[in-house]
Amino acid sequence: MTINDVAQAAGVSVSTVSKVVNARYGVAPSTMERVLQVIAELGYETSLVASSLRSSRTNIIGILVAEFEPFALELLNGISATLRGTQYDLMAYAGNLAPGGRAGWEHRSLSRLGGTLIDGAIIVTPTVEIPHSSVPVIAIDPHAGTSGPAAIDVDNFGGAKTATEHLISLGHRRIGHIKGRSDLKSAHLRESGYRQALQDAGISYDPQLVHDGDYQRDLAAIAATDLLTLPQPPTAIFAANDLSALSAIETAKSLGLNVPNDLSVIGFDDIPEAAQSKPTLSTVRQPMHEMGATAVTLLLSMLAGEEVTQPAQMPASLIPRESTATAPQP
Amino acid sequence: MTINDVAQAAGVSVSTVSKVVNARYGVAPSTMERVLQVIAELGYETSLVASSLRSSRTNIIGILVAEFEPFALELLNGISATLRGTQYDLMAYAGNLAPGGRAGWEHRSLSRLGGTLIDGAIIVTPTVEIPHSSVPVIAIDPHAGTSGPAAIDVDNFGGAKTATEHLISLGHRRIGHIKGRSDLKSAHLRESGYRQALQDAGISYDPQLVHDGDYQRDLAAIAATDLLTLPQPPTAIFAANDLSALSAIETAKSLGLNVPNDLSVIGFDDIPEAAQSKPTLSTVRQPMHEMGATAVTLLLSMLAGEEVTQPAQMPASLIPRESTATAPQP
DNA sequence: CTGAAAGCGCTAACAC
DNA sequence: GTGTTAGCGCTTTCAG
């Protein structure tokens, strides 16, 4: 089913069909009607690939992710809702699923889709500097880099501080931290927030209590094990994201510890799983829908020709649930 | 950054560059090295659009949805995880966001992406018959149509029956039902399951207690209002999906009713929001991750040339939470 | 081993 | 009002 088939069936040239499909002027009403009829009969739809190769607008916004994990999916939810009723369709691309192709998915995806397939892009959690691109780009939860496109993130520092203060207010003094990915800005800010809260409370920082979790389940489990098998284990853990926190709870359970009675755990993000775990996970909420919505709004104004460079920061809020409780009495 | 730029910079022809990029035989090692070097320097990536127009394989699997709502997103989660480590990337396309373009998004998206951009497609909740396509297609939660591609769904009948029986076991006798979209097979099966459970319990079917909710928030709210303002209102409602159930709870609250003391509500799907509402929603769980995983497995074997036509049905399971309770004593 | 050239489906000048 | 034609960036014969 190509434009050629339609042209042939309608007895006109391909350019006439193209004009009809794209509602261009200069087609006789009778011709138009006939072509439309043939299109309907044949069920013809213009190929996105071919037309985007030739023309510059596609009316498609691309969301570029490494893979579809809970954070990206929640963002997608907000983005989709915000785009509803606009002229744009949404294409989400996970470009880091194939084995081996680890690094640089941001650049690869942007180069492969940008300029032709998509009119603009929202890149989720890029781990490297975003290259100059031929289309407008917004980054969510960006890399530690200095320059780069307009970016959106949550108040990572303030959120982490709040989480740690929550633990402190429950009477905890030995508070461990499972760090995030060191190539992400958010991980550093969250660690800083943790340290600031300790300092404000007059608790001295103990490097033994901080381990690397890389925002991942497996590494967080190792970090949690290391933390909990210390001669003097912490009574509470602030994990840099919910995935790590959930993993830490699992680990604690397997070590025979009760959460929250023996150990309090708090995460960061408020992914859907946080509310469904047992015990439900106390955490700091990133307003993911709003972040997605803001990204879209910014991108649309860039698409409309406006200059947008200043970063947007969203507030983080404490969501106390069951996994945190008063510190055990020694 | 096109293949021409690379060719020029490396002092070779475009076809040589293409051979290097695609690891074809017949390039001298020295040439290859030089080209590779230039590619790295320039940060060139082959354009997905151009290459997919010319060659038939793209190693991309497409997920076609009307929009990114909770059900589709959960599916995406399972699909993404299953595809990890395979040679395929994932492209999810929401083709029904633009206003006006309501009907036939399935066909439109499939025609526009199929054959060129994607090697195979998974269509989520299609509302019309899926046309014969140039690429392998799997449907999840399919349309009521008779023919069509290989399909995956949950045991809608059994799940609805279980939900209704749960209500009956709590002592409810007047049980309302908010129906789903009549153009979806799942809606009909869920209504049948509801009626079967009533019949098995010797409760006669009252058409007054069944209203249309179309799987949507707004229409479900109207249906709930109608139900609850009946002279003899039901003491329990089985809503055809969680979105409707959540909406019914809102409505009940606004009418001054307490859920679950005055009214029990149970949904279907177990979307993430179900566990986070107040009260938390009792529901019947669709194993969405598993459904996504199964879809991928089936599609991959079709891509490998195998014939797959038989539908797969997944089990539904009751998840009792706070929104259902013993029937109020008259 | 390398390059010239055709063509994938479509759009946009430009002729007629 | 309509058709012819030249590419968009790439892959793939097919000569050299």
Side-chain angles (χ1 to χ4, degrees):
Chain A
M1 260 308 68
T2 76
I3 198 174
N4 274 296
D5 301 325
V6 176
Q8 197 154 357
V12 297
S13 73
V14 291
S15 64
T16 302
V17 177
S18 176
K19 279 172 196 153
V20 170
V21 169
N22 297 296
R24 297 272 177 280
Y25 292 108
V27 179
S30 63
T31 313
M32 182 154 205
E33 195 177 346
R34 186 153 37 93
V35 173
L36 247 19
Q37 169 117 17
V38 172
I39 288 177
E41 270 170 19
L42 266 48
Y44 167 78
E45 292 286 348
T46 157
S47 158
L48 187 55
V49 168
S51 62
S52 70
L53 186 57
R54 200 64 183 73
S55 63
S56 49
R57 279 298 287 294
T58 58
N59 283 323
I60 297 178
I61 284 184
I63 312 298
L64 274 27
V65 302
E67 60 178 312
F68 291 107
E69 27 69 41
F71 180 73
L73 290 169
E74 282 303 301
L75 241 23
L76 208 46
N77 197 339
I79 291 168
S80 180
T82 311
L83 230 35
R84 180 142 98 221
T86 69
Q87 61 187 314
Y88 291 97
D89 278 343
L90 190 50
M91 174 172 288
Y93 185 67
N96 202 23
L97 259 29
R102 294 282 314 145
W105 61 267
E106 304 86 349
H107 177 214
R108 193 173 344 120
S109 296
L110 198 52
S111 302
R112 293 185 52 147
L113 305 190
T116 43
L117 236 202
I118 57 180
D119 289 349
I122 297 175
I123 303 193
V124 180
T125 319
T127 57
V128 299
E129 199 108 357
I130 300 296
H132 35 50
S133 158
S134 49
V135 296
V137 174
I138 301 270
I140 296 184
D141 188 12
H143 161 71
T146 51
S147 75
I152 295 177
D153 58 9
V154 76
D155 179 8
N156 287 295
F157 178 83
K161 187 159 162 285
T162 306
T164 312
E165 286 166 353
H166 170 64
L167 260 15
I168 293 170
S169 75
L170 289 169
H172 295 278
R173 296 279 127 183
R174 275 190 81 69
I175 300 175
H177 176 48
I178 298 178
K179 286 200 287 188
R181 289 178 53 158
S182 52
D183 52 357
L184 288 179
K185 199 167 106 190
S186 58
H188 292 286
L189 288 169
R190 290 176 193 182
E191 187 182 1
S192 301
Y194 157 80
R195 295 180 68 156
Q196 184 67 52
L198 292 185
Q199 186 180 324
D200 289 356
I203 302 174
S204 67
Y205 169 73
D206 181 351
Q208 280 202 338
L209 292 180
V210 177
H211 277 69
D212 230 310
D214 207 44
Y215 282 152
Q216 287 180 50
R217 271 208 136 88
D218 336 352
L219 273 90
I222 296 174
T225 307
D226 289 351
L227 244 26
L228 297 174
T229 53
L230 241 35
Q232 261 202 51
T235 63
I237 291 178
F238 163 48
N241 72 343
D242 284 353
L243 235 40
S244 301
L246 259 12
S247 175
I249 292 181
E250 287 306 310
T251 305
K253 276 184 190 168
S254 72
L255 256 35
L257 260 34
N258 177 290
V259 177
N261 292 338
D262 303 324
L263 176 78
S264 286
V265 177
I266 188 166
F268 201 118
D269 283 351
D270 196 25
I271 60 176
E273 285 86 337
Q276 306 199 51
S277 66
K278 275 192 190 308
T280 55
L281 183 69
S282 296
T283 190
V284 171
R285 175 166 161 68
Q286 298 207 50
M288 297 186 256
H289 288 202
E290 292 84 341
M291 290 169 75
T294 304
V296 168
T297 309
L298 253 39
L299 190 58
L300 289 184
S301 49
M302 288 172 80
L303 251 15
E306 293 164 39
E307 196 75 27
V308 176
T309 46
Q310 61 178 8
Q313 188 171 77
M314 321 290 291
S317 52
L318 179 71
I319 310 283
R321 292 205 183 92
E322 299 166 359
S323 68
T324 46
T326 313
Q329 296 308 317
Chain B
M1 257 312 63
T2 75
I3 197 172
N4 274 296
D5 301 325
V6 176
Q8 199 155 358
V12 296
S13 73
V14 291
S15 58
T16 301
V17 177
S18 175
K19 279 171 195 153
V20 170
V21 169
N22 297 294
R24 294 272 177 280
Y25 291 111
V27 180
S30 63
T31 313
M32 183 152 201
E33 195 175 349
R34 184 154 37 94
V35 173
L36 246 19
Q37 170 117 15
V38 172
I39 288 177
E41 269 169 21
L42 267 49
Y44 166 78
E45 292 286 346
T46 159
S47 158
L48 189 53
V49 168
S51 61
S52 70
L53 186 57
R54 200 62 179 73
S55 63
S56 47
R57 278 298 285 295
T58 59
N59 284 323
I60 296 177
I61 285 183
I63 312 298
L64 275 28
V65 303
E67 61 177 314
F68 292 107
E69 27 69 43
F71 180 73
L73 290 170
E74 282 302 302
L75 241 23
L76 208 46
N77 198 337
I79 291 168
S80 180
T82 312
L83 230 35
R84 180 143 97 219
T86 69
Q87 60 187 313
Y88 290 97
D89 278 343
L90 191 50
M91 173 172 289
Y93 184 68
N96 202 24
L97 260 30
R102 293 282 313 145
W105 61 267
E106 304 86 347
H107 178 213
R108 192 173 347 118
S109 297
L110 199 51
S111 301
R112 293 184 52 148
L113 305 190
T116 43
L117 236 202
I118 57 180
D119 289 348
I122 297 175
I123 303 193
V124 180
T125 320
T127 58
V128 298
E129 199 107 355
I130 301 296
H132 35 51
S133 158
S134 50
V135 296
V137 173
I138 300 271
I140 296 184
D141 189 12
H143 161 70
T146 50
S147 75
I152 295 177
D153 58 8
V154 74
D155 179 7
N156 287 294
F157 177 84
K161 188 159 161 284
T162 304
T164 312
E165 286 167 352
H166 169 63
L167 260 17
I168 293 170
S169 75
L170 290 168
H172 295 278
R173 297 278 126 185
R174 274 189 82 69
I175 301 174
H177 176 48
I178 299 179
K179 286 199 288 188
R181 292 178 51 159
S182 52
D183 52 357
L184 288 178
K185 198 167 107 189
S186 59
H188 292 286
L189 287 169
R190 291 176 193 182
E191 188 183 359
S192 301
Y194 158 79
R195 295 181 67 159
Q196 184 66 51
L198 292 186
Q199 188 180 320
D200 290 355
I203 301 173
S204 65
Y205 170 72
D206 182 350
Q208 280 202 338
L209 292 181
V210 176
H211 277 68
D212 230 310
D214 207 45
Y215 283 153
Q216 288 181 50
R217 272 208 136 85
D218 337 352
L219 275 92
I222 297 174
T225 308
D226 290 350
L227 244 26
L228 297 173
T229 53
L230 242 32
Q232 262 202 53
T235 62
I237 291 179
F238 163 49
N241 71 342
D242 285 352
L243 235 42
S244 301
L246 258 14
S247 175
I249 291 181
E250 287 306 310
T251 305
K253 277 185 189 166
S254 72
L255 255 36
L257 260 34
N258 176 290
V259 176
N261 293 338
D262 302 325
L263 177 76
S264 286
V265 177
I266 188 166
F268 201 119
D269 282 352
D270 196 27
I271 60 177
E273 285 87 335
Q276 306 200 51
S277 64
K278 272 186 191 309
T280 55
L281 182 68
S282 297
T283 189
V284 171
R285 175 167 161 66
Q286 297 207 50
M288 296 185 258
H289 288 202
E290 291 83 341
M291 288 169 76
T294 306
V296 169
T297 309
L298 252 38
L299 190 58
L300 289 183
S301 48
M302 287 172 79
L303 251 16
E306 294 164 39
E307 196 73 29
V308 177
T309 47
Q310 59 178 9
Q313 187 170 74
M314 321 289 291
S317 51
L318 179 71
I319 310 283
R321 292 204 185 92
E322 297 165 0
S323 68
T324 46
T326 312
Q329 295 308 315

